[in-house]
Amino acid sequence: MASFDCQRLAKMTATALVSLKERADEFSGLDAETGDGDHGTAIVSAMTAVDRVAQQGTELKKVLGDMGFAAMTESCGSTSTLIGAFFLGMSDGVKGESLNAAETASMFSAGLKKVKEQTKASIGDKTMIDALQPAVDAMPANAENGIPAMLQAAAKAAATGAESTKDMVAKFGRARNLGERVIGHLDAGAVSTACMFDAFARGFTAST
């Protein structure tokens, strides 16, 4: 059964970076509807730093930590902070170099915990948490089916979570100043998070 290791991680981040670049204009366009309009640039900058480190990693815990610090050194506001926290948290949750599905789920859970230490946002606040938390929460229930199926379930949950932001009123960022006028608009951070998890699922099983 497939396990999570540095090689799989590198494939996942490489696939995520390609997907995020392809949709960067879409993310910035969504962000422009309610915020600064720079989320596409920000998420690509953060993940470029993350992927650069991932491609050189040989020790799972160390490379995840280095990926987190690399993201945080990018000057892309809260995006770099939250993406960096996610990978730093995953590093905290790693024990060993080759993880089974349950251990992989625990690692992602540790990543979510670290993100939530950086933001007070919760489900329903129209942020990336609306996609990230459902994705991570979906993992343990699907762990017995193996990592590929578990990541696919996480991607599906993230997409559903991102779509749900359309009906929400924002509690953070510039969008919160718009009140109910943001209803009908998707949150850019939630959509890019869903994109990332979809790419993680595809990247894990990528042959090259």
Side-chain angles (χ1 to χ4, degrees):
M1 183 173 289
S3 58
F4 189 104
D5 55 22
C6 282
Q7 289 71 36
R8 298 280 186 178
L9 175 64
K11 290 179 181 179
M12 291 164 67
T13 59
T15 304
L17 181 57
V18 169
S19 296
L20 292 167
K21 284 182 174 178
E22 289 175 347
R23 296 179 62 184
D25 289 345
E26 173 192 343
F27 303 143
S28 289
L30 289 172
D31 193 27
E33 294 173 352
T34 59
D36 297 334
D38 62 353
H39 184 66
T41 302
I43 189 66
V44 168
S45 294
M47 284 302 295
T48 295
V50 163
D51 181 61
R52 183 170 56 246
V53 176
Q55 299 309 315
Q56 301 169 356
T58 58
E59 182 183 343
L60 188 55
K61 186 177 184 69
K62 182 178 187 306
V63 72
L64 283 165
D66 290 347
M67 290 160 64
F69 283 117
M72 286 187 167
T73 60
E74 295 296 308
S75 300
C76 40
S78 61
T79 297
S80 58
T81 301
L82 296 175
I83 292 295
F86 183 51
F87 288 105
L88 281 174
M90 289 171 69
S91 176
D92 292 342
V94 164
K95 294 181 180 178
E97 292 298 322
S98 182
L99 310 184
N100 61 28
E103 291 166 339
T104 302
S106 295
M107 176 188 67
F108 274 93
S109 180
L112 172 63
K113 179 181 178 182
K114 182 69 79 175
V115 171
K116 297 189 80 169
E117 289 174 0
Q118 296 291 327
T119 176
K120 296 180 180 178
S122 301
I123 291 285
D125 289 342
K126 204 178 183 83
T127 72
M128 70 177 289
I129 291 293
D130 290 300
L132 179 60
Q133 184 163 335
V136 174
D137 287 349
M139 290 184 173
N142 291 277
E144 65 180 14
N145 298 319
I147 297 176
M150 185 178 76
L151 289 174
Q152 290 169 8
K156 183 178 180 180
T160 300
E163 184 65 26
S164 72
T165 64
K166 182 179 289 186
D167 299 322
M168 297 175 184
V169 173
K171 303 287 180 60
F172 292 87
R174 292 190 178 185
R176 68 180 177 179
N177 298 323
L178 300 177
E180 293 189 352
R181 284 178 288 174
V182 302
I183 293 176
H185 299 276
L186 294 169
D187 177 73
V191 175
S192 68
T193 299
C195 174
M196 185 170 67
F197 271 88
D198 176 72
F200 282 170
R202 290 184 286 108
F204 185 84
T205 56
S207 58
T208 58

